[in-house]
Amino acid sequence: RRAGKSTGPSAPSGAAPADAADGKKDKKEKEAKPVKDKPTWGAPGEGKAKKDAAAKAKAKTVEAVPFVETPEGQKKDLSLPIAATYNPRHVESAWSAWWEKQKYFTPDSKTSKGTCESKKFIMVIPPPNVTGSLHIGHTLTCAIEDALTRWHRMCGDLTLWLPGLDHAGIATQSVVEKLLYKNEKLTRHDLGREKFLERVWAWKDKNPSHIKHQLNKIAASTDWSRERFTMDPLLNKAVVEAFIRFHDQGLIYRDNRLVNWCPHLRTALSDLEVDHEEIPGITYLEIPGYDQKVEVGVLCEFKYQIKGSNDFLMVATTRIETMLGDTAVAVHPEDDRYLKFVGKELVHPFFPDRKMVVIADTMVDREFGTGCVKITPAHDKNDFMAGQRHKLEMISIFDDNGHIAGNGGKFAGQHRFEARKTIEEELKKLSLWVQKKPHAMSLGLCSRSKDIIEPFMKPQWWMNCKDLADKSVKALREGELKIIPEFHHNTWYRWLENIQEWCISRQLWWGHRIPAYKVVKPPQDKEMWFVGKDMAEALAKAEAKLGKGVVLEQDEDVLDTWFSSGLFPFSVFGWPDTEGNDDFESFFPTSLLETGHDILFFWVARMVMMSIGLTGKLPFKTVYLHAMVRDAHGRKMSKSLGNVIDPIEVIEGIELEQLHLKLYEGNLPEKEIEKAKKGQAADYPDGIPECGADALRFGLLAYTSQGKNVNLDINRVVGYRHFCNKVWNATRFGLTYFGEDFKFSGALRLSAPFAWEDRWILSRLSICADKTNKAMQSYEFAAATTATYSFFLYELCDVYLELLKPRFYAEAESDETVEDRKVAREVLYICLDWSMRLLHPLLPYLTEELYQRLPPSPTKAESITIAQYPTTVIGWNNHIVEQEMELLSEIAGKFRSQKTSLGLNPGSRPLGYVRHSDADNVASLRKLTTRLSRMGAMGEIKVLAEGEAEPKGTLRDVVSDRCMIFTAAEGVDLSQEMAKLQKKVVSAEKMVASYVDKIAAPGYEDKVPATVRETNAQKMESSQKELLELRTAVKNIQEAMT
């Protein structure tokens, strides 16, 4: 293994290695595998000394540094010595409250006016629903947004990240209604609208504190002084103004047309709120409000009789209950089989007086089924259009609850799916039933309640989005708007270029009540509506048109939640009151909208359209869409699977039993709870260990390179807690080199007498800063985690800190030594200071805690949150030194491998030799033999001259086609080592042979599951690799013995 590899956890999972300055991949930044700790590069005998010291330490009782609680909003007292162990709960306490009190995240709108766009970073949070708490998907959103916000703030930009909550109309009303019935056996109708809304507001005032607590726990650097709620008076004013303006422009109108109706929630839904489930054939579904399973995925065939004849037309439907609203049967106008029936009347078996005719329409596919289609204009979108074309009667046969309405004859009052069965029975009695057969279909389900959606005739408020959608498409095509990643562009175009009318009214009480008022007196032939900011304004408009004595009544319905959310980027800054509004002038338009790609249609597109329509501007210049978080098995997060995780559970840790108990806090049925328990036990048999917010954030950011989905294994976040522990311990160790009187001068002199490793680490640090800045600029957060992780772990800890030890522990006190130590301290200070600042957007708590403990410096900020973010220093970049380090690392790794092959004690320091055919490399190696010795855990290392004979009694190994090393085998019983290795070779050969036989067995590919075959293939590959290494070791020892 090459020297310079980590002793700690693996590199960030899923994080693509960051590009080097020259565009090539950095070898040290490839993703690492978890490895065992390696011995340190100490001096001869150091291992025994460490063991003795460890034994003495065990004999003593180590006094832990006491944890001192910090009063709310106060700065943490760090006067006590730094704790010996990293404790995320202690480290992450108090900082958020202090940052907020110091107003680091609260920009002044007056002084911000006039700031150029390139020096602004303004962003609104995707407002979480007030109903719930943040889950791990929200945490990814916040980790990305906070990392960007902190980076921009440290870059000196005017920065604002505005938090808020969404009132979540359907979800909130549903929660409160359930609580009301559960606790008091009351419905909202028992209370009445006003009293019910008082209950909702009371519930709302209790609930959002948990979301704020979660955001603070994950170090969200939001401006809480500007927190908004979508039902605040400020935002309600914007909603009313938007409705009136769009109505006056003719974009909002009222119409009686088909809507997606959820009978369980008794409200209309937009197309985007309907989930379409593919049903392969006969399936039985459970739906809310009905105690039996509903049969779907069947095609029911029955007959209608031609009036006054013995002829029948056979039709088919997946919704037999809708035949109660049939007013026609359609055939194709060119279908010769049925032309003689066109215009004739049919007999409806349950409503013989109803006029029902045969019509000819090209909508019919004459090749499908019998070529006859039943027409129910009030309950099917295609039938509705056919009904308009042929002026058919539109008969609604369902009530709002999904029962058969009063006009349903003998079936009136039955649940629609009960009627599905009784209608079949009645048709059989009348000999009109033909058959029922399996049929694949797409079924619309309410995304909230999972009830089956019914197309329903309802007078609703609609919004025509066509013109605004065209402008939104144009904005992206012409580059005015950016959407990242670009593979979402086609989705944007496809949806907006085929946009449908938006049903914006909802039959709820909780939400923004529609500012439209119906004329109830004097009576009108047709409904007449007036819109206004309040009743007085609407009444004035009505009286201007109709005269005095008008009585108005406000619409009972509320607006779709997404209507108010679509205004969020500008309503939060006080729109429409823009005159003299410092917040609006300074902070709108915003810079970025960051969210999950699942709400590209629901929210992002609507914000763009509404902002264009109301402000004439885009609400933001860039949209960054992150991946969706799934569990480690690639499954969608679901309460019934038990894989929905609260970030607090990862931050603080939780026992398995507590995870089980939390399942009972929701509304899951007992059967689902048992299923979820099994899922939790499988994924978290020992619960979830305490990881801390920093580790959780870092882990989530490291996963962002995975594309459209992130398969998050919570257990891997534990690895990032180990990284935080490494940062803590390495910094604590580094601080011991400074002493009490050290004060950094503020800058490094390029003329200082830097040691070779100083020049190397500064070069690596400069390149790390360059990579990290580029990664943040391009939203490549995994690359940012890789660059910072690799530098701190593989280069600063594994190499530089080890090479520093002889410089600080040397006994000589010459002027040269004193000056060298001074330079070493200043370079170490730069490394730690820059590391903390580079890592801060990713690990905010840990870096603030350690930054505050760094020695004083003229350039040190009051808080790391407002410290300057490091940028590359061209003068530090040193390609020659980096090439030399690559050479040393490769050779040192071979020496360490040889020691392992020989079974030498890690603390032993055998003599080593190097032969290299390149003269320049020979010169470099001769001046760096002490560094090579330390990196390779060797004793003295000699560089052989050209033509010099190979040293006797050494183990030889090839580094490259130009380099070879030799390790002295003095004192090693090579014959004994050979015997051990040969036994291992025999064992490894048997292992490989067993896998070969297993895989070659007849029927292996067909009988053995794919997962088992994959495991066997991996094990065989590993065994073959081990066998090859063992045979190489045998060969090397044989050569050493000759």
Side-chain angles (χ1 to χ4, degrees):
R1 186 176 60 194
R2 183 194 307 167
K5 288 297 177 189
S6 169
T7 64
S10 66
S13 170
D19 288 343
D22 59 0
K24 297 177 181 177
K25 296 290 183 187
D26 192 323
K27 292 180 182 178
K28 282 190 168 63
E29 291 191 7
K30 65 183 180 182
E31 187 174 340
K33 303 288 184 186
V35 293
K36 294 180 181 178
D37 285 355
K38 67 182 182 186
T40 56
W41 300 334
E46 192 173 84
K48 183 177 185 305
K50 284 185 177 179
K51 286 181 182 178
D52 292 341
K56 290 178 183 177
K58 282 185 179 179
K60 294 182 181 179
T61 301
V62 179
E63 287 189 22
V65 177
F67 173 67
V68 180
E69 291 283 351
T70 303
E72 182 78 10
Q74 297 296 308
K75 186 175 182 179
K76 193 181 290 188
D77 180 5
L78 299 177
S79 60
L80 290 172
I82 187 170
T85 56
Y86 168 66
N87 185 321
R89 190 167 302 202
H90 294 173
V91 169
E92 295 174 3
S93 67
W95 290 120
S96 282
W98 180 65
W99 290 332
E100 186 178 349
K101 186 180 179 184
Q102 295 299 106
K103 299 187 183 301
Y104 292 137
F105 312 145
T106 306
D108 183 271
S109 57
K110 289 188 183 297
T111 59
S112 298
K113 286 194 289 189
T115 304
C116 66
E117 292 300 316
S118 63
K119 292 300 293 177
K120 281 185 184 181
F121 182 74
I122 314 298
M123 179 172 58
V124 296
I125 199 170
N129 286 351
V130 70
T131 49
S133 60
L134 304 184
H135 53 64
I136 214 74
H138 293 115
T139 313
L140 173 62
T141 301
C142 292
I144 291 172
E145 293 181 9
D146 188 63
L148 284 167
T149 303
R150 289 178 183 274
W151 177 68
H152 277 281
R153 188 181 293 116
M154 294 177 76
C155 289
D157 297 339
L158 166 64
T159 306
L160 170 63
W161 182 23
L162 190 145
L165 288 173
D166 192 278
H167 67 277
I170 294 175
T172 303
Q173 179 162 315
S174 178
V175 167
V176 177
E177 283 193 271
K178 286 177 181 176
L179 287 172
L180 187 64
Y181 190 78
K182 180 180 179 182
N183 298 331
E184 304 176 47
K185 294 293 183 285
L186 295 174
T187 69
R188 63 181 163 120
H189 301 285
D190 294 328
L191 288 181
R193 185 174 193 135
E194 188 176 336
K195 291 291 184 185
F196 177 74
L197 290 178
E198 287 176 5
R199 295 290 189 97
V200 181
W201 276 106
W203 178 87
K204 176 264 169 190
D205 290 339
K206 290 180 181 178
N207 203 57
S209 58
H210 181 63
I211 293 176
K212 182 174 180 181
H213 170 67
Q214 288 178 302
L215 287 169
N216 280 331
K217 286 288 284 187
I218 57 179
S221 60
T222 49
D223 179 2
W224 289 109
S225 71
R226 289 186 169 91
E227 182 185 9
R228 300 287 185 258
F229 176 53
T230 53
M231 287 282 284
D232 285 343
L234 182 75
L235 277 68
N236 177 256
K237 183 177 183 178
V239 169
V240 170
E241 181 68 23
F243 184 94
I244 294 171
R245 288 196 191 183
F246 284 140
H247 181 271
D248 290 348
Q249 294 168 21
L251 297 180
I252 287 179
Y253 59 93
R254 190 168 176 83
D255 194 11
N256 185 28
R257 54 197 294 183
L258 278 184
V259 298
N260 300 306
W261 187 261
C262 174
H264 183 70
L265 298 177
R266 291 166 59 181
T267 185
L269 301 173
S270 73
D271 290 343
L272 294 177
E273 294 166 305
V274 178
D275 295 333
H276 293 277
E277 186 171 325
E278 295 303 317
I279 307 295
I282 298 177
T283 306
Y284 295 91
L285 294 181
E286 290 182 355
I287 64 165
Y290 188 56
D291 58 4
Q292 299 178 47
K293 289 188 176 182
V294 178
E295 183 184 52
V296 295
V298 294
L299 196 64
C300 301
E301 296 176 348
F302 69 99
K303 298 180 291 185
Y304 278 120
Q305 185 176 10
I306 302 292
K307 196 170 187 178
S309 77
N310 291 322
D311 293 319
F312 294 85
L313 294 181
M314 189 175 80
V315 294
T317 178
T318 58
R319 301 159 66 217
I320 188 69
E321 63 278 8
T322 63
M323 64 87 64
L324 299 177
D326 285 358
T327 56
V329 168
V331 297
H332 196 279
E334 297 175 1
D335 194 333
D336 295 336
R337 294 174 294 174
Y338 305 115
L339 287 181
K340 62 182 178 180
F341 298 124
V342 174
K344 292 187 180 291
E345 289 191 33
L346 298 161
V347 179
H348 196 293
F350 307 125
F351 307 102
D353 296 333
R354 179 183 298 173
K355 183 177 180 181
M356 189 172 173
V357 296
V358 180
I359 61 173
D361 198 293
T362 54
M363 68 173 278
V364 178
D365 178 1
R366 51 187 156 175
E367 304 301 325
F368 181 77
T370 62
C372 299
V373 177
K374 64 185 281 297
I375 302 297
T376 319
H379 293 288
D380 181 272
K381 290 183 180 179
N382 291 325
D383 294 3
F384 173 76
M385 291 186 286
Q388 287 183 317
R389 288 192 295 271
H390 297 275
K391 296 182 173 54
L392 300 175
E393 184 182 3
M394 300 199 180
I395 303 172
S396 292
I397 49 93
F398 298 143
D399 66 16
D400 288 356
N401 293 308
H403 289 68
I404 305 301
N407 61 355
K410 65 172 72 176
F411 308 101
Q414 293 182 11
H415 191 284
R416 66 193 188 282
F417 295 125
E418 186 64 30
R420 179 173 286 189
K421 292 182 283 188
T422 55
I423 289 170
E424 178 182 336
E425 291 168 4
E426 290 298 318
L427 288 172
K428 286 178 179 177
K429 292 176 184 177
L430 296 170
S431 300
L432 296 174
W433 180 260
V434 179
Q435 67 172 336
K436 183 164 60 176
K437 57 186 180 184
H439 178 70
M441 61 182 289
S442 179
L443 187 66
L445 301 175
C446 172
S447 62
R448 290 287 180 185
S449 69
K450 301 307 176 187
D451 196 2
I452 294 173
I453 291 296
E454 297 295 341
F456 222 89
M457 286 292 294
K458 279 281 185 182
Q460 300 286 316
W461 292 97
W462 298 82
M463 182 166 171
N464 183 339
C465 302
K466 184 69 174 68
D467 182 58
L468 296 176
D470 289 344
K471 290 176 180 177
S472 301
V473 166
K474 183 181 178 184
L476 183 62
R477 286 198 192 281
E478 296 185 354
E480 188 182 358
L481 175 68
K482 292 182 180 178
I483 296 180
I484 303 169
E486 291 187 0
F487 58 72
H488 292 294
H489 286 197
N490 286 337
T491 309
W492 180 265
Y493 297 139
R494 186 169 61 252
W495 187 70
L496 288 174
E497 288 171 348
N498 296 282
I499 197 164
Q500 303 296 310
E501 306 288 274
W502 176 15
C503 177
I504 60 173
S505 46
R506 296 290 180 271
Q507 288 61 54
L508 304 169
W509 288 354
W510 173 246
H512 294 278
R513 193 167 176 181
I514 294 174
Y517 302 80
K518 181 182 177 181
V519 176
V520 292
K521 288 183 182 179
Q524 303 294 311
D525 293 336
K526 287 186 177 181
E527 281 188 350
M528 186 174 288
W529 294 83
F530 293 90
V531 302
K533 294 183 173 70
D534 50 31
M535 175 70 81
E537 184 174 293
L539 187 59
K541 290 180 180 179
E543 289 180 341
K545 186 168 184 177
L546 302 175
K548 296 293 183 181
V550 176
V551 177
L552 300 179
E553 190 176 81
Q554 187 175 1
D555 195 332
E556 290 283 323
D557 293 349
V558 300
L559 286 163
D560 180 7
T561 300
W562 294 106
F563 190 93
S564 55
S565 299
L567 310 175
F568 199 72
F570 47 98
S571 63
V572 296
F573 297 121
W575 183 90
D577 298 329
T578 58
E579 289 296 321
N581 182 337
D582 293 333
D583 267 22
F584 189 83
E585 187 177 338
S586 296
F587 306 133
F588 184 79
T590 63
S591 311
L592 176 74
L593 188 282
E594 194 286 330
T595 190
H597 65 75
D598 59 323
I599 54 175
L600 180 62
F601 311 140
F602 282 100
W603 191 40
V604 182
R606 285 169 175 162
M607 283 187 287
V608 172
M609 290 190 294
M610 297 177 88
S611 183
I612 289 173
L614 295 169
T615 73
K617 299 177 181 179
L618 289 171
F620 28 74
K621 294 174 178 58
T622 303
V623 177
Y624 175 77
L625 301 169
H626 66 247
M628 301 308 299
V629 179
R630 295 177 178 269
D631 71 8
H633 313 291
R635 301 174 304 180
K636 197 172 181 179
M637 296 293 185
S638 164
K639 290 179 182 178
S640 63
L641 292 175
N643 60 1
V644 175
I645 299 297
D646 184 328
I648 304 294
E649 296 167 356
V650 183
I651 293 169
E652 298 181 351
I654 187 169
E655 300 291 333
L656 178 61
E657 189 58 38
Q658 289 176 292
L659 281 172
H660 287 344
L661 289 174
K662 290 188 77 170
L663 294 171
Y664 291 94
E665 296 174 7
N667 296 313
L668 280 181
E670 186 63 36
K671 184 172 69 174
E672 294 290 327
I673 287 176
E674 291 307 311
K675 178 182 174 183
K677 279 184 177 180
K678 290 179 181 177
Q680 289 177 337
D683 286 340
Y684 317 113
D686 301 315
I688 300 174
E690 179 187 38
C691 295
D694 283 325
L696 175 58
R697 287 168 56 116
F698 199 87
L700 288 169
L701 291 169
Y703 269 103
T704 54
S705 66
Q706 288 193 6
K708 286 191 175 182
N709 293 312
V710 166
N711 294 346
L712 176 66
D713 183 355
I714 291 294
N715 296 312
R716 294 204 64 162
V717 176
V718 177
Y720 306 119
R721 187 201 188 282
H722 295 330
F723 173 60
C724 292
N725 186 64
K726 185 72 174 180
V727 172
W728 178 270
N729 286 333
T731 305
R732 183 173 65 89
F733 173 72
L735 290 173
T736 62
Y737 285 145
F738 294 121
E740 294 183 6
D741 299 327
F742 177 79
K743 181 178 180 181
F744 183 60
S745 60
L748 284 178
R749 293 175 292 112
L750 289 178
S751 60
F754 296 119
W756 175 83
E757 58 268 22
D758 296 335
R759 297 197 302 276
W760 173 75
I761 198 66
L762 289 174
S763 182
R764 298 306 303 155
L765 182 57
S766 175
I767 289 172
C768 176
D770 183 55
K771 290 177 180 177
T772 309
N773 278 290
K774 286 178 178 175
M776 297 300 286
Q777 285 167 357
S778 56
Y779 307 102
E780 295 176 358
F781 306 104
T785 61
T786 298
T788 51
Y789 184 105
S790 298
F791 171 78
F792 195 90
L793 211 56
Y794 300 157
E795 295 166 352
L796 180 61
C797 295
D798 285 357
V799 181
Y800 186 68
L801 289 181
E802 291 294 334
L803 292 177
L804 276 186
K805 288 178 181 178
R807 296 167 67 184
F808 284 111
Y809 295 151
E811 295 180 3
E813 291 292 338
S814 65
D815 291 345
E816 184 180 348
T817 303
V818 170
E819 178 65 16
D820 180 62
R821 286 179 182 169
K822 179 184 176 183
V823 171
R825 285 191 180 96
E826 295 205 331
V827 173
L828 177 60
Y829 182 93
I830 284 287
C831 288
L832 294 177
D833 172 48
W834 275 44
S835 292
M836 295 307 108
R837 288 189 277 147
L838 287 168
L839 282 164
H840 178 68
L842 316 174
L843 303 170
Y845 288 128
L846 176 60
T847 51
E848 179 73 277
E849 180 100 3
L850 294 175
Y851 180 81
Q852 295 289 345
R853 289 187 175 276
L854 291 179
S857 163
T859 57
K860 189 177 178 183
E862 180 182 53
S863 166
I864 196 171
T865 62
I866 54 172
Q868 183 181 356
Y869 201 77
T871 56
T872 188
V873 177
I874 300 299
W876 290 357
N877 294 352
N878 194 321
H879 186 62
I880 293 174
V881 170
E882 293 211 29
Q883 282 187 322
E884 290 175 339
M885 177 56 84
E886 282 293 326
L887 177 66
L888 259 64
S889 295
E890 197 170 13
I891 294 172
K894 283 293 183 179
F895 274 126
R896 296 172 69 81
S897 295
Q898 279 198 329
K899 285 181 61 178
T900 301
S901 296
L902 286 169
L904 296 178
N905 188 298
S908 66
R909 295 294 182 266
L911 182 64
Y913 302 87
V914 180
R915 182 194 299 286
H916 206 292
S917 61
D918 183 89
D920 291 337
N921 283 334
V922 168
S924 296
L925 288 169
R926 282 186 172 148
K927 71 177 182 181
L928 298 171
T929 52
T930 56
R931 272 89 172 184
L932 180 57
S933 172
R934 188 163 186 83
M935 291 170 65
M938 298 291 287
E940 181 185 0
I941 288 181
K942 297 180 179 179
V943 180
L944 299 175
E946 186 178 353
E948 188 173 348
E950 290 186 6
K952 299 287 187 182
T954 59
L955 184 67
R956 182 178 63 182
D957 203 354
V958 175
V959 178
S960 70
D961 60 342
R962 310 185 76 179
C963 182
M964 188 172 289
I965 63 166
F966 307 86
T967 300
E970 186 179 349
V972 178
D973 186 345
L974 292 180
S975 59
Q976 187 177 349
E977 289 300 320
M978 175 68 80
K980 288 180 186 176
L981 282 174
Q982 286 174 333
K983 284 183 181 179
K984 290 181 180 179
V985 167
V986 172
S987 177
E989 285 174 339
K990 289 179 180 178
M991 181 65 71
V992 170
S994 70
Y995 282 116
V996 170
D997 292 343
K998 191 178 292 185
I999 291 172
Y1004 177 80
E1005 291 293 327
D1006 300 325
K1007 297 176 183 178
V1008 179
T1011 52
V1012 176
R1013 296 201 308 271
E1014 184 180 351
T1015 301
N1016 287 342
Q1018 291 172 350
K1019 287 182 177 179
M1020 186 172 78
E1021 184 181 353
S1022 176
S1023 299
Q1024 289 171 330
K1025 185 177 178 182
E1026 181 184 2
L1027 177 59
L1028 181 62
E1029 290 174 349
L1030 287 168
R1031 284 173 172 168
T1032 301
V1034 167
K1035 181 181 177 183
N1036 289 340
I1037 290 180
Q1038 286 174 336
E1039 291 175 353
M1041 292 173 68
T1042 57

